[in-house]
Amino acid sequence: MSTHGNWRKSSYSGEGDGNECVEVANSTTHVAVRDSKAPARATLTFPRAAFTRFLATVEEPEGNPPPR
């Protein structure tokens, strides 16, 4: 997955001191995630469908998982 120049910080990075956030990069098939404080370190890459499902799960109120 080529992500050079596609990284953007989480919308929550402005909260607090802004030093504890992640950056994401999208391609047509995958989403990559990295630590904004250490961008040269490991990157996690997920299939787009799996990452979309993950976001839907964390955005739902507790005890109400999204439909599959």
Side-chain angles (χ1 to χ4, degrees), residues 9-57:
K9 283 191 179 183
S10 163
S11 60
Y12 293 100
S13 65
E15 294 183 7
D17 60 12
N19 289 328
E20 295 182 12
C21 61
V22 297
E23 294 177 322
V24 297
N26 296 320
S27 78
T28 56
T29 60
H30 288 81
V31 176
V33 181
R34 70 181 181 186
D35 184 344
S36 64
K37 294 182 304 297
R41 290 192 169 175
T43 298
L44 301 173
T45 304
F46 303 93
R48 181 176 287 284
F51 195 73
T52 300
R53 174 85 175 137
F54 167 74
L55 291 179
T57 300

Side-chain angles (χ1 to χ4, degrees), residues 56-57 60-67:
T57 300
E60 285 296 315
E62 189 172 333
N64 296 313

